[in-house]
Amino acid sequence: MRRPLPSSVIPALCLALVLGPLPLASATEAEPPVAGTAASQPETVELPEVTDRLIVKYKTPLSDADEERVVEDSAREAGVPEGTDVREVRTTTDGAAVVELESETSDEQVEKLARKIADDPAVDYAEPDQLVSVAAASDAHYSSQWAHPATKVSTAWNSATGAGVTIGVVDTGFASHPDLDPQVAGGFDFVSASNLSNDGNGRDADPRDPGTYSSVDQCYQGAAASTSNWHGTHVAGTAAAARNSVGTVGVAPDAKLLNARALGACGLGYISDIADAVTWLAGAPVAGAPAPARPADVINLSLSFPGGCGTTFQRAIDTAYHRGVPVVVAAGNSGVEALHAAPGNCYNVITTGASTSSGQRASYSNHGWVVDIYAPGHSIISSGNSGTKAPATANSMWLSGTSMASPHVAGTVALMRQKNPNLTPAQLKSALLSTATSPAGVPVANTATALAAVPAATPFQDVPTTHAFHQEISWMASAGISGGWATADGAKEYRPRLAVDRDVMAAFLYRLAGSPQFTPPATSPFADITPQTTFYKEMAWMADAGISGGWTTPDGGKEYRPHAEVDRDVMAAFLYRLAGSPQFTPPATSPFADITPQTTFYREMAWMADAGISGGWSTATGKEYRPHVAVDRGVMAAFLHRLASQL
């Protein structure tokens, strides 16, 4: 059994008032806050200033005995007796050891021990594995979702609703709710400490919230008994509650939710568990946790703890950032400089403070230059539950805090990602911050203007705006020449590096020609295709239009060879014929060093250069056409786009 914390420790979580079920308040009809109504402030969160765990990363693998020696020798040198008898609890995704001390000790002492361990040449880094809590919230008395009209959410829905986007939520888990159940796309329970789990075990595949209730001394010595607060349920609903006839509606109502439970009883969880949850949501492997079917497109962390952003937490955030997943975090509710609270002071995050209905900074919100943006966080109604311990009846409840502000921003980012999934976290953050409004002195997120600032994405998710042929490939879609491949999540892929087969080439050329009226013959002109073959009409049209005669077989028949790749010399012939075989006298001196006037299709390849359709490759000896290289779909888009400008 886990050893209790000292009785001097103050409880880390304040309770939320859970109200009865409410009808859906539409974004366009939501009433403003009642004039003169005072909302209660979130209670100040005071975390236990002790821990019984360390995180130690070694530069190279050591034996268990050597790892214990490093910690215990360092503990004796540092004068921290709690570290002279340790055991390894588990290994983090980053490969670091989570080490349990003999008993709890102060954060100051554990930090001292960590510094001494880090001095050992075998150690990469060492840091306390502190306890973290939700950015606590309290109740208020508003009767509608004032935040939606304040940030123009319904206006943004004209452009995006979150369809095809997944929001990852690291929190206390979700209770069953009609606003959330259709949205949830999987999850995992990362709570490893049995005294915090409230579900009878450690990590498992069930991320649902069993309740954050606790008995006296359960979470730490001196902790009062508490009832469940349904924090994660509220946060998830703010971001993506479904549009239906009950409850509330989220900022991104058509987005999916990926549930990473990392906070348990008392709303507490370890940094090492939260870091694994972030890593997993970003799609990176975490031992023992099966990969999600689809990683998150944005991650929300409505939690906070005092102190710096340690290596474990920062590396998890960096993993998400470098995988293209923005991380939105709460600034914290202590009314102090946000520089002094993590993860708001981590790098590569969008740190969010709480604003009131008048656009002012909420008095409890952490503030300062570390805060990137503010969002509605005061008196926010969202999904809840009536259970004081285990889940009972789904309902709606009001909470206040930066925990409530953060999912407003995460939902906005989800809309931005739907409009353009190719933008980097830095680009998304820039668009979000540059469009914020300041009605009362602080920059408040405006969902509609942020979305409007996002440039329209390429129609294909695998062709970013930086692709050499982005314009031409996008034209292929807008011109109806290529629809690409539909992916499992409803997006489209163009696959620009895939070679073009002859059957697909026929379809492209037929569409480029305007899909002319043509009745394909009942008897195929080619022995290797039939009227039932995919793209039969287009291939038969190729023969009828004189663009392709196929290959003559030994028995005098013809073959089209639909699945053969199209080489660049043959492509030149196809395009020249599609253009009407224009009058052209090929030059006596080849424009390309690797073909001569005697090369098959020389006229057509020289015409490609003369017409500005292909410039070939520049080499030390001049230009090369590379006639026998297969044409890929990206280059072919460029060829067709250039030809289309001349037809």
Side-chain angles (χ1 to χ4, degrees):
M1 178 179 292
R2 178 182 170 81
R3 291 170 292 280
L5 302 184
S7 58
S8 60
V9 175
I10 301 175
L13 185 71
C14 56
L15 305 181
L17 176 63
V18 181
L19 304 182
L22 292 178
L24 177 69
S26 74
T28 56
E29 298 174 351
E31 299 175 4
V34 178
T37 300
S40 59
Q41 306 289 310
E43 298 178 26
T44 301
V45 177
E46 295 187 54
L47 285 167
E49 295 181 359
V50 295
T51 185
D52 63 346
R53 290 187 180 188
L54 273 169
I55 303 171
V56 184
K57 175 68 183 296
Y58 297 94
K59 293 178 180 177
T60 57
L62 299 180
S63 67
D64 292 345
D66 285 341
E67 288 185 2
E68 289 182 7
R69 176 192 56 76
V70 169
V71 175
E72 293 172 359
D73 287 355
S74 297
R76 280 186 283 271
E77 293 176 19
V80 182
E82 294 85 355
T84 57
D85 184 11
V86 299
R87 69 182 183 90
E88 183 175 325
V89 177
R90 65 183 190 83
T91 302
T92 71
T93 301
D94 190 37
V98 177
V99 179
E100 187 175 66
L101 307 179
E102 184 177 5
S103 61
E104 286 87 358
T105 189
S106 69
D107 287 347
E108 181 180 359
Q109 285 291 90
V110 179
E111 179 64 41
K112 179 182 177 182
L113 173 56
R115 288 196 298 269
K116 176 59 69 173
I117 294 172
D119 289 339
D120 192 294
V123 175
D124 182 6
Y125 68 85
E127 60 190 14
D129 194 5
Q130 294 171 272
L131 284 165
V132 178
S133 82
V134 300
S138 187
D139 64 281
H141 302 286
Y142 293 110
S143 61
S144 59
Q145 292 180 271
W146 65 266
H148 278 223
T151 57
K152 310 298 183 190
V153 169
S154 60
T155 300
W157 288 343
N158 293 326
S159 301
T161 58
V165 177
T166 300
I167 301 173
V169 179
V170 181
D171 216 289
T172 62
F174 313 158
S176 180
H177 197 288
D179 275 343
L180 302 183
D181 293 346
Q183 314 295 78
V184 178
F188 195 81
D189 179 2
F190 288 92
V191 178
S192 61
S194 58
N195 67 305
L196 299 180
S197 68
N198 274 0
D199 62 0
N201 54 37
R203 292 187 171 187
D204 57 56
D206 184 0
R208 291 174 297 177
D209 187 355
T212 57
Y213 63 93
S214 65
S215 57
V216 174
D217 294 335
Q218 176 180 336
C219 299
Y220 49 85
Q221 185 177 342
S226 64
T227 55
S228 296
N229 70 331
W230 313 112
H231 187 273
T233 301
H234 192 280
V235 167
T238 300
R243 285 182 288 187
N244 50 30
S245 61
V246 297
T248 58
V249 60
V251 175
D254 291 330
K256 292 297 184 182
L257 290 163
L258 195 54
N259 184 3
R261 179 178 183 248
L263 305 176
C266 304
L268 295 178
Y270 281 100
I271 286 174
S272 55
D273 289 341
I274 297 166
D276 274 0
V278 171
T279 301
W280 180 80
L281 287 172
V286 173
R294 173 193 168 96
D297 297 293
V298 56
I299 296 172
N300 184 84
L301 296 174
S302 287
L303 47 86
S304 184
F305 60 98
C309 182
T311 303
T312 301
F313 219 136
Q314 186 63 63
R315 288 189 176 180
I317 289 170
D318 288 346
T319 294
Y321 184 85
H322 293 304
R323 284 175 166 260
V325 184
V327 180
V328 183
V329 304
N333 297 331
S334 301
V336 300
E337 283 280 337
L339 178 63
H340 303 305
N345 57 10
C346 295
Y347 293 104
N348 297 329
V349 297
I350 302 174
T351 302
T352 307
S355 62
T356 66
S357 58
S358 61
Q360 296 176 310
R361 176 180 68 84
S363 60
Y364 49 79
S365 176
N366 287 354
H367 50 82
W369 65 270
V370 168
V371 178
D372 295 305
I373 199 163
Y374 290 79
H378 198 61
S379 295
I380 302 300
I381 184 171
S382 184
S383 308
N385 195 278
S386 66
T388 57
K389 289 188 175 182
T393 303
N395 62 13
S396 298
M397 65 185 190
W398 284 264
L399 298 178
S400 293
T402 56
S403 278
M404 287 63 255
S406 181
H408 278 99
V409 172
T412 297
V413 172
L415 302 183
M416 298 165 75
R417 296 223 72 172
Q418 179 190 353
K419 185 176 179 183
N420 193 332
N422 302 317
L423 295 186
T424 65
Q427 291 170 321
L428 290 162
K429 182 175 179 177
S430 177
L432 185 72
L433 271 55
S434 66
T435 57
T437 57
S438 300
V442 295
V444 178
N446 187 302
T447 301
T449 56
L451 188 61
V454 172
T458 176
F460 304 107
Q461 67 176 10
D462 58 342
V463 184
T465 55
T466 54
H467 192 280
F469 299 126
H470 169 261
Q471 179 182 352
E472 293 87 345
I473 293 172
S474 296
W475 166 81
M476 290 284 283
S478 62
I481 296 173
S482 176
W485 283 266
T487 62
D489 59 7
K492 293 281 189 177
E493 290 181 349
Y494 183 76
R495 305 179 186 176
R497 300 306 302 270
L498 190 67
V500 181
D501 286 354
R502 287 170 54 86
D503 56 349
V504 173
M505 187 72 251
F508 287 159
L509 296 187
Y510 178 73
R511 295 165 190 166
L512 180 61
S515 299
Q517 183 64 39
F518 173 68
T519 302
T523 300
S524 173
F526 300 107
D528 55 347
I529 63 173
T530 72
Q532 287 72 46
T533 304
T534 303
F535 300 133
Y536 170 70
K537 177 179 182 176
E538 292 84 348
M539 291 183 283
W541 169 82
M542 290 280 282
D544 185 77
I547 297 173
S548 175
W551 281 267
T552 302
T553 62
D555 61 1
K558 293 282 188 177
E559 290 181 347
Y560 184 80
R561 303 182 186 174
H563 302 303
E565 296 175 351
V566 180
D567 286 352
R568 287 169 55 86
D569 57 350
V570 174
M571 170 68 80
F574 284 168
L575 298 189
Y576 178 71
R577 296 166 191 166
L578 181 65
S581 299
Q583 183 63 40
F584 173 68
T585 302
T589 301
S590 173
F592 300 108
D594 57 343
I595 63 173
T596 71
Q598 288 71 48
T599 303
T600 302
F601 300 132
Y602 171 70
R603 170 198 289 268
E604 292 83 349
M605 290 183 283
W607 169 80
M608 291 278 281
D610 185 74
I613 297 174
S614 176
W617 282 268
S618 295
T619 68
T621 58
K623 294 279 191 178
E624 291 182 352
Y625 185 80
R626 304 183 185 176
H628 302 303
V629 170
V631 179
D632 66 38
R633 288 169 55 86
V635 171
M636 184 232 15
F639 286 169
L640 297 189
H641 184 259
R642 295 164 191 167
L643 176 60
S645 66
Q646 302 178 27
L647 294 178

